[in-house]
């Protein structure tokens, strides 16, 4: 029966539509397989079905949290694009959020946000996916939404929507590629690695000039060719009923007509007969970069795991050859190697960013010497143990969320036809031998030609490794038949009214984690919760103070940041390499870093390895060994980082904005990281004194989350009871500036593709969970806190000037700020400032509407279901309780405020705290392009340098 019907789908479009119209009532989905967990196998249980129209359905029932995650993956990415129409797959991803026959423009985001969910889409070379995580009671509505854009998109497409999203994509390219150091390196490499016309020879983002050429008809053909249900997989995981969910999927998707046949692509791997030397000048890079790329292997290839092991041994982590030869010797800021795998081909990449004094030719010579060293050294037992343990831990941690589980199933189904790949991948990793690693080195690296790219800083004297010797050969290219001829649009015929938006089930029970807490005899506050979903434990240690101690000695600002990094180096009983080797053999991690008001130690461990991980934590915390060699290396990296940061508009904007708010002489703006002068002044004794004087149990809090009960957790941390207490006094930071009139500040970054805008002011509000600060979070949600807020809808969805715009109130124990921000098209800088101010002023004067408040209340309230899913989310919740001495029931108090707050209360807060007459406006971008328009706005203008100091 099913086989004969499948054949009949090929008869005619009319017959197809008629069959599909009846499919939901006459034809049942076909169960393909059911996978269950046996014993302790690392597997995601699921059921796999196929609908008569070819849609693959994967259901993964998991009741650990009251959430569901829906993913629809279409087997189409930039590899299906035509020459001259690059970027179209990604552009089309944007268009899929612009409404369909039964969903108005903007409502896709609005409906999911109102449901308390999150959503997005992504495009890569080989697939495009759309996904959302929502409370479980919202599932039917999500299936209605996704099916409507699969089956009813094209008549809702307009030229205006098309143009707005084209502009948004161009802004995304500017933000993520054109405006970023080394952002174009992969584009140059791809163009020269693959033959002309190969779909990997351009990036997913595409070329601006080609995006400018495409039209609405191109979009419609792309949809008709690739977006049929037979080229899609819908994967749904979480707190669902499989039988009911399958019925909903059949109802909403079963009548959508099958699309044209889509065959898997297969192209020969790129063949290089000699090294290809290429180069380009980077407007934002302060240091040059050497990039070497060899052809690799496809995803799931038999050599994939061995190549991953090879890349790790040569170029990843402190035990790698590159770290020893490049980073530890202070010859390079970065040196790495990786193997990436996609559907049609793979790449093995080496990247080195040498320090001043080292040429790119020097870097290439040392790469060659390092590879020769690998040949001589070979592969050790420890190398393989580290690789296998770290890989296993990575797989386990990747399954901590329902979205992680669903994504793993969807990817495996799309590229192999079998969702159950985790066991096979782990088996492949565990089977890697020393001989395998040597074999793939000889096969893919040794004496093999590569694309060798030199990235040269603008205006410098750095020379490429060698003169460019390769030009892309366009001769003989024959475009394939992409199958766009004769495509027609057939809508589904339903036996229900698709215009009626489904309701929702009963609100799910929110599982706020059960909490235990204790205080050790020496004053350490510990809080924790047990979570058995994955066999892993996360521990967060906060030692208060951090950058605040720079208030006592501004000349040594940045000391906290240096101490944090030095704590990741040697101990008295281990070199840094030995310590990290022991961690990697356990699949564990201990990372230490400094923040504005704390030193944080983050620990992750598989449950079975927790005792050994705790022994290493004890060594790290009690026995750090500070050496001059490590200090010199870290200071050099830090100072070069300052220079690089000054070329990045977004980083400059954030730094200068804080200096305007607090004053350039206020140490809190640079206390944690310092600047070139203060970091240079830090001595080894300063580091030792910071540790001796400021590390104390009395200022330490600990959060424990994961597969461990209170007794086991306290036992694992019992070594801390011997930590001797000392009195530590944390200084209080100075306040900031206030402004009696709105002033516009500008920082010039010549040739910037975008302008970074920051608008705001300081307030005196400290963090609270039930007072004005919490309520202002509610008030700001519709102004600039949600995707469909006033600010983002205006600047992104209506105008197309930005990839995203937002606003928010931020606070701590020492006051806070209101900030609105975006990266915008350079030519729209002045107009964007006008729209920002207009939206803020309108909200201050007119406030929130009853419908907007209802939307805000529903959205924020429903989102509680997503707050406690992963170990990280649980840890953040517990940290907040601990930091601000809150009762766990504060969530109930917040929900009561949220549900009862009135428009009048919101409007009073907006009127009180939003004032466009005394804000600062900062623009970081190309002065030549932006200043004439900004001068017309009538604000006083102050020009600053990248350090926030007035230009003379």
């Amino acid at each position: 029966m099913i086989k004969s019907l499948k054949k009949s789908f090929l008869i005619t479009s009319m017959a197809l539509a008629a069959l599909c119209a009846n499919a939901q009532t006459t034809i049942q989905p076909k169960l393909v397989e059911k996978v269950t967990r046996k014993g302790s196998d690392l597997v995601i249980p699921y059921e796999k079905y196929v609908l008569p129209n070819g849609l693959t359905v994967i259901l993964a029932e998991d009741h650990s949290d009251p959430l569901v995650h829906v993913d629809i993956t279409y087997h189409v990415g930039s590899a299906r694009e035509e020459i001259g129409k690059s970027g179209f797959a990604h552009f089309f991803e944007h268009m899929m959020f612009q409404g369909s026959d039964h969903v108005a423009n903007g409502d896709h985001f609005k409906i999911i946000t109102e449901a308390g969910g999150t959503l997005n889409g992504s495009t890569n070379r080989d697939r495009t996916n759309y996904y959302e995580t929502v409370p479980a009671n919202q599932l039917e509505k999500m299936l209605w939404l996704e099916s409507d854009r699969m089956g009813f998109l094209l008549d809702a497409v307009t030229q205006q929507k098309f143009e707005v999203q084209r502009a948004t994509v161009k802004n995304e390219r500017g933000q993520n590629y054109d405006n970023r150091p080394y952002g174009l390196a992969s584009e140059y490499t791809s163009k020269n690695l693959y033959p002309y016309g190969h779909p990997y020879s351009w990036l997913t983002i595409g070329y601006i000039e080609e995006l400018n050429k495409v039209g609405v008809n191109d979009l419609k053909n792309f949809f008709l060719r690739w977006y049929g249900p037979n080229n899609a997989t819908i994967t749904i995981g979480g707190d669902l009923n499989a039988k009911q969910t399958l019925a909903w999927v059949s109802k909403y998707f079963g009548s959508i007509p099958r699309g044209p046949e889509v065959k898997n692509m297969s192209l020969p791997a790129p063949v290089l007969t000699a090294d290809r030397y290429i180069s380009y000048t980077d407007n934002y890079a302060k240091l040059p970069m050497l990039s070497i790329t060899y052809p690799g292997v496809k995803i799931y290839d038999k050599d994939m795991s061995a190549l991953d092991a090879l890349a790790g041994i040569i170029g990843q982590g402190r035990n790698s050859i590159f770290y020893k030869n490049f980073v530890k010797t202070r010859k390079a800021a970065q040196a790495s190697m990786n193997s990436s795998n996609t559907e049609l081909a793979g790449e093995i990449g080496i990247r080195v960013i040498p320090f001043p004094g080292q040429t790119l030719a020097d870097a290439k010579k040392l790469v060659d010497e390092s590879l020769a060293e690998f040949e001589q050294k070979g592969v050790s037992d420890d190398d393989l143990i580290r690789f296998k343990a770290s890989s296993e831990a990575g797989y386990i941690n990747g399954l901590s969320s329902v979205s992680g589980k669903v994504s793993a199933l969807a990817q495996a189904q799309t590229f192999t036809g079998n969702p159950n790949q985790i066991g096979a991948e782990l088996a492949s990793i565990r089977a890697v031998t020393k001989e395998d690693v040597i074999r793939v080195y000889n096969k893919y690296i040794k004496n093999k030609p590569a694309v060798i790219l030199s990235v040269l800083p603008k205006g410098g004297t750095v020379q490429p490794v060698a003169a460019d010797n390769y030009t892309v050969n366009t001769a003989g290219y024959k475009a394939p038949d992409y199958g766009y001829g004769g495509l027609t649009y057939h809508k589904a015929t339903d036996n229900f009214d698709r215009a009626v938006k489904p309701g929702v089930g009963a609100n799910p029970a929110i599982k706020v984690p059960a909490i235990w807490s204790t205080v050790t005899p020496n004053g350490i506050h510990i809080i924790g919760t047990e979570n058995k979903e994955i066999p892993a434990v996360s521990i967060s240690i906060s030692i208060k103070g951090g950058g605040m101690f720079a208030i006592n000695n501004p000349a040594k600002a940045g000391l906290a940041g240096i101490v944090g990094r030095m704590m990741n180096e040697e101990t008295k009983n281990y070199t840094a390499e030995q310590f990290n080797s022991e961690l990697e053999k356990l699949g564990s991690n201990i990372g230490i870093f400094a923040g504005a008001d704390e030193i944080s130690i983050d620990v992750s461990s598989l449950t079975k390895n927790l005792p050994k991980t705790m022994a290493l934590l004890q060594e790290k915390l009690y026995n750090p060994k500070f050496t001059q060699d490590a200090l010199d290396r870290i200071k050099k990296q830090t100072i070069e980082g300052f220079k690089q940061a000054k070329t990045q508009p977004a980083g400059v904007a954030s730094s200068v904005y804080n200096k305007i708010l607090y004053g350039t002489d206020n140490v809190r703006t640079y206390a944690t990281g310092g600047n070139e002068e203060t970091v240079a002044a830090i001595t080894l004794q300063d580091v030792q004194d910071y540790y001796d004087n400021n590390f104390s149990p009395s200022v330490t809090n600990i959060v424990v989350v994961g597969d461990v009960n209170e007794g086991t957790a306290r036992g694992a941390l019992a070594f801390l009871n011997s930590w001797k207490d000392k009195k530590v006094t944390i200084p209080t930071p100075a306040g900031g500036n206030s402004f009696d009139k709105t002033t516009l500040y500008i920082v010039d970054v010549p040739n910037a593709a975008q302008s970074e805008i920051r608008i705001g002011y300081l307030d005196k509000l400290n963090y609270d969970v039930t007072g004005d600060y919490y309520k202002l979070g509610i008030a700001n949600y519709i102004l600039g806190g949600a995707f469909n807020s006033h600010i983002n809808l205006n600047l992104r969805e209506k105008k197309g000037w930005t990839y995203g715009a937002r606003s928010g109130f931020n606070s701590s124990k020492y006051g806070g700020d209101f900030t609105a921000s975006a990266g915008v098209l350079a030519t729209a800088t002045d107009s964007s400032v006008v729209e920002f101010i207009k939206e803020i002023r309108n909200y201050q004067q007119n406030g929130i509407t009853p419908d907007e408040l209802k939307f805000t209340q529903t959205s924020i309230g429903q989102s509680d279901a997503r707050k406690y899913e992963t170990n990280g989310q649980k840890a953040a919740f517990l940290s907040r309780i601990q930091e601000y001495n809150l009762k766990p029931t504060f969530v109930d108090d917040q929900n009561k405020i949220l549900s009862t707050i009135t428009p009048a209360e919101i409007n009073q807060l907006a009127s009180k705290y939003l004032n466009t007459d005394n804000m600062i406006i900062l623009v970081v971008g190309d002065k030549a392009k932006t200043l004439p328009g900004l001068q017309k706005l009538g604000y006083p203008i102050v020009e600053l340098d990248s350090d926030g100091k007035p230009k003379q």
Side-chain angles (χ1 to χ4, degrees):
M1 175 68 174
I2 292 178
K3 288 183 179 178
S4 64
L5 280 173
K6 283 187 175 178
K7 290 179 182 177
S8 70
F9 275 108
L10 303 176
I11 299 173
T12 66
S13 297
M14 291 180 63
L16 170 64
L19 282 169
C20 287
N22 295 319
Q24 58 197 24
T25 58
T26 62
I27 305 172
Q28 297 300 314
K30 178 183 177 181
L31 175 64
V32 177
E33 64 175 337
K34 183 173 182 177
V35 172
T36 58
R37 179 179 288 110
K38 297 177 182 178
S40 59
D41 290 349
L42 188 61
V43 65
I44 307 168
Y46 66 88
E47 298 173 8
K48 174 181 169 182
Y49 298 86
V50 176
L51 298 191
N53 60 4
L55 177 67
T56 299
V57 183
I58 300 170
L59 305 178
E61 199 165 342
D62 177 357
H63 301 289
S64 55
D65 294 284
L67 299 169
V68 290
H69 184 81
V70 179
D71 175 288
I72 294 192
T73 296
Y74 295 88
H75 197 170
V76 55
S78 58
R80 303 283 190 178
E81 292 169 352
E82 304 173 60
I83 283 284
K85 294 181 180 178
S86 65
F88 206 79
H90 171 253
F91 180 23
F92 190 81
E93 175 210 320
H94 281 248
M95 293 302 302
M96 283 281 278
F97 290 95
Q98 301 310 301
S100 47
D101 278 3
H102 309 101
V103 181
N105 186 21
D107 276 6
H108 201 99
F109 277 98
K110 182 179 180 180
I111 289 169
I112 295 177
T113 305
E114 188 173 24
T118 62
L119 71 157
N120 214 327
S122 70
T123 308
N124 63 26
R125 288 169 161 179
D126 307 308
R127 63 99 187 106
T128 306
N129 73 332
Y130 305 87
Y131 51 91
E132 47 269 337
T133 304
V134 295
N137 64 324
Q138 301 285 343
L139 176 55
E140 184 184 4
K141 193 184 297 179
M142 299 305 106
L143 300 177
W144 170 76
L145 278 171
E146 288 292 358
S147 65
D148 206 63
R149 60 181 176 183
M150 178 187 281
F152 300 87
L153 179 81
L154 291 193
D155 287 346
V157 171
T158 65
Q159 188 68 39
Q160 181 183 8
K161 293 179 185 177
F162 184 86
E163 294 300 339
V164 168
Q165 291 311 308
R166 173 164 32 204
T168 300
V169 171
K170 289 159 69 173
N171 276 294
E172 182 178 355
R173 179 182 166 103
Q175 180 173 311
N176 294 336
Y177 296 88
D178 299 329
N179 231 26
R180 182 171 293 181
Y182 317 114
L184 298 177
S186 55
E187 184 170 271
Y188 277 86
T189 295
S190 297
K191 181 179 179 180
N192 291 279
L193 174 63
Y194 296 98
Y196 179 76
H198 191 293
Y200 285 0
S201 64
W202 56 82
L203 297 188
T204 301
I205 194 69
Y207 296 103
I208 292 289
E209 59 271 21
E210 294 181 6
L211 286 171
N212 286 335
K213 294 177 183 177
V214 297
V216 172
N217 286 334
D218 296 303
L219 178 142
K220 292 184 176 181
N221 277 333
F222 195 88
F223 174 82
L224 292 172
R225 180 66 186 91
W226 307 112
Y227 272 72
N230 51 303
N231 195 36
T233 296
I234 180 168
T235 309
I236 309 166
D239 190 17
L240 57 87
N241 177 291
K243 183 178 180 180
Q244 176 63 78
T245 302
L246 185 62
W248 283 334
V249 172
S250 298
K251 173 182 178 179
Y252 292 110
F253 290 90
S255 61
I256 299 174
R258 189 182 188 94
E261 182 183 5
V262 178
K263 295 181 179 179
N264 288 342
M265 296 179 69
S266 181
L267 294 174
V271 176
L272 280 61
T273 57
D275 286 335
R276 297 176 180 177
Y277 288 95
I278 56 173
S279 63
Y280 80 94
T281 299
D282 193 304
N283 289 329
Y284 300 100
K286 279 292 185 180
L287 296 174
M289 184 175 78
L290 168 68
S291 171
I292 304 172
T293 306
Y294 302 89
V297 300
K298 301 175 184 179
I299 192 169
Y300 300 115
D301 185 272
K302 62 181 179 62
D303 287 340
M304 185 171 75
S305 296
L307 279 169
D308 287 339
L310 173 70
I313 294 166
I314 295 176
Q316 294 174 16
R318 290 177 181 268
N319 288 283
S320 68
I321 295 172
F322 280 180
Y323 184 86
K324 175 178 70 71
N325 293 347
F326 282 99
V327 179
K328 197 161 187 179
T329 59
R330 303 197 289 278
K331 292 180 179 177
Q334 298 176 29
S336 63
M337 181 177 181
N338 71 84
S339 174
S340 60
N341 317 100
T342 42
E343 186 176 17
L344 303 180
E347 298 170 16
I348 305 162
I350 293 172
R351 284 194 171 190
V352 180
I353 300 177
F355 277 131
Q358 299 288 314
T359 67
L360 290 177
D362 293 334
K364 176 62 167 60
K365 181 173 182 290
L366 190 50
V367 167
D368 294 339
E369 291 172 355
S370 298
L371 296 179
E373 181 181 339
F374 168 76
E375 289 189 58
Q376 189 276 327
K377 171 180 173 283
V379 182
S380 69
D381 291 336
D382 275 3
D383 288 334
L384 287 184
I385 292 171
R386 287 195 300 269
F387 165 68
K388 294 176 182 182
S390 297
S391 298
E392 179 185 6
Y395 272 101
I396 290 173
N397 289 324
L399 303 179
S400 63
S401 66
V402 64
S403 63
K405 298 180 183 101
V406 165
S407 297
L409 293 170
Q411 174 179 289
Q413 169 61 34
T414 300
F415 297 136
T416 73
N418 179 7
N420 189 22
Q421 290 294 326
I422 292 177
E425 289 185 72
L426 281 174
S428 173
I429 289 166
R430 290 164 180 159
V432 172
T433 65
K434 298 177 184 179
E435 292 74 19
D436 288 329
V437 180
I438 298 298
R439 176 180 56 79
V440 296
Y441 170 77
N442 289 328
K443 183 176 180 180
Y444 300 102
I445 303 295
K446 184 177 181 180
N447 298 325
K448 298 299 187 291
V451 173
I452 302 171
L453 169 67
S454 300
V455 181
L456 311 174
K458 183 179 180 180
T461 58
V462 176
Q463 296 299 307
V465 173
D468 291 9
N469 71 347
Y470 181 74
T471 302
V472 176
N473 182 9
T474 62
Y477 171 71
K478 183 179 179 181
D481 182 358
Y482 292 95
Y484 287 111
L487 296 174
T488 54
Y489 185 28
H490 298 285
K491 291 187 183 182
T493 302
D494 295 307
N495 61 4
F496 66 95
D497 187 354
R498 197 177 279 269
V500 177
K501 181 171 63 175
V504 298
N507 287 341
I510 308 302
K511 301 177 183 177
V512 177
I515 299 168
W516 58 265
S517 62
T518 187
V519 180
T520 64
N522 52 356
I524 302 172
H525 291 255
I526 307 177
I527 189 170
T529 188
E530 188 173 4
N531 176 27
K532 290 185 170 295
E533 188 169 348
I534 59 172
V537 181
S538 297
I539 299 174
S540 300
I541 302 174
S542 171
I543 303 172
K544 300 304 174 186
M548 291 293 180
F549 293 114
I551 295 168
N552 296 334
N553 188 1
K556 298 297 176 76
L559 178 57
I562 296 294
V563 169
R565 294 181 65 179
M566 291 285 283
M567 289 287 292
N568 290 303
E569 297 288 329
E570 297 182 38
T571 70
K572 292 177 181 176
N573 296 300
Y574 294 89
T575 65
E577 292 77 14
Q578 290 170 338
F579 191 91
N580 280 271
S581 177
E582 294 303 309
L583 280 175
E584 289 173 1
K585 284 189 283 187
L586 299 171
S588 301
N589 183 67
I590 299 175
I592 305 176
F593 55 94
D597 57 3
E598 65 182 356
I599 297 282
S600 298
I601 305 175
D602 288 343
V603 183
S604 65
S605 173
L606 298 180
T607 307
K608 64 183 180 181
N609 294 330
L610 184 60
K612 292 180 179 179
T613 304
M614 290 297 95
L616 291 170
L617 175 62
Q618 180 176 353
E619 172 71 14
K620 179 65 70 176
L621 186 60
Y622 283 3
N623 299 314
K625 182 180 178 181
F626 305 125
T627 67
Q628 190 65 47
D629 181 72
L631 177 61
D632 291 343
R633 169 168 39 85
I634 290 170
K635 286 170 61 174
K636 184 174 183 178
Q637 291 171 332
T638 303
I639 290 170
E640 288 299 329
F642 292 141
K643 297 175 182 177
Q644 181 68 69
K646 291 179 182 179
T647 70
Q648 301 177 56
V652 170
S654 297
S655 173
V656 172
Y657 180 69
N658 283 333
K659 290 177 180 179
I660 297 170
L661 289 178
Y662 291 102
T664 54
D665 295 329
N666 191 328
V667 71
R668 71 187 294 179
T669 65
Y670 62 101
T672 306
N675 58 38
E676 294 175 44
E677 292 75 26
T678 63
V679 168
I682 292 171
T683 67
L684 196 62
Q685 190 60 51
D686 294 327
V687 174
Q688 188 66 56
D689 289 346
Y690 186 105
Y691 171 80
D692 291 340
N693 297 330
N694 301 325
F695 276 54
S696 172
S698 62
V699 290
T700 298
N701 291 338
I702 299 178
V703 175
V704 183
V705 176
D707 184 23
V708 60
N709 60 34
E710 178 182 357
T712 303
R714 292 176 67 173
L717 294 168
F719 72 90
L720 292 170
N721 294 336
S722 63
W723 192 4
K724 293 183 179 179
D725 192 20
K726 64 177 73 74
K727 184 178 180 181
V728 177
T729 302
I730 301 172
T732 302
N737 295 327
S738 58
F739 303 87
D740 56 7
K741 63 181 177 181
T742 296
T743 301
L744 194 152
Y745 299 83
I746 186 168
V747 178
D748 186 24
V749 179
N751 301 313
Q754 288 187 307
S755 298
E756 288 288 338
I757 296 174
R758 304 289 184 272
I759 299 173
Y761 62 93
L762 290 177
D763 59 46
K764 299 185 183 301
L765 276 173
N766 291 340
Y767 177 89
D768 65 61
V769 294
T770 56
D772 275 4
Y773 175 72
Y774 171 69
K775 294 173 184 176
L776 282 167
I778 301 172
N780 177 72
Y781 195 74
I782 200 67
L783 171 62
F787 179 89
N788 51 319
S789 65
H790 295 180
I791 288 173
N792 193 59
L793 285 182
N794 186 347
L795 272 72
R796 171 177 162 143
E797 296 298 288
K798 293 179 182 178
K799 302 294 197 306
W801 293 337
T802 180
Y803 185 48
R806 64 211 62 83
S807 68
F809 289 89
N810 309 286
S811 193
S812 65
K813 293 179 179 179
Y814 308 106
D817 63 81
F818 168 81
T819 299
S821 64
V824 303
L825 189 67
T827 53
T829 302
D830 53 339
S831 300
S832 297
V833 170
V834 169
E835 294 303 316
F836 261 121
I837 297 297
K838 182 186 79 174
E839 293 293 354
I840 296 169
R841 181 180 290 123
N842 284 348
Y843 196 66
Q844 177 201 13
Q845 295 174 350
N846 301 318
I848 197 168
T849 68
D851 283 347
E852 288 173 339
L853 178 56
K854 182 179 178 182
F855 166 81
T856 298
Q857 290 169 321
T858 304
S859 178
I860 296 176
Q862 290 271 6
S863 68
D864 276 353
R866 294 186 289 106
K867 288 182 179 178
Y868 318 110
E869 182 188 12
T870 66
N871 283 351
Q873 289 171 316
K874 289 179 172 71
F877 174 68
L878 298 186
S879 294
R880 194 174 306 115
I881 289 174
Q882 197 176 54
E883 174 72 12
Y884 293 98
N885 194 29
L886 304 175
K887 295 180 180 179
T889 55
F890 81 87
V891 175
D892 298 328
D893 298 332
Q894 287 184 332
N895 286 335
K896 184 176 180 180
I897 293 170
L898 178 66
S899 63
T900 59
I901 199 167
T902 65
E905 290 178 88
I906 294 287
N907 296 345
Q908 184 179 18
L909 288 165
S911 177
K912 178 179 179 181
Y913 287 99
L914 295 175
N915 189 343
T916 56
D917 293 331
N918 55 13
M919 292 183 174
I920 67 166
I921 303 169
L922 171 65
V923 173
V924 178
D926 189 331
K927 174 184 170 184
K929 294 178 184 176
T930 61
L931 185 58
L934 293 171
Q935 288 173 326
K936 297 176 183 178
L937 302 184
Y939 298 112
I941 294 179
V942 178
E943 188 173 353
L944 306 174
D945 64 18
S946 59
D947 289 317
K949 298 175 181 177
K951 277 199 167 184
Q952 301 299 322

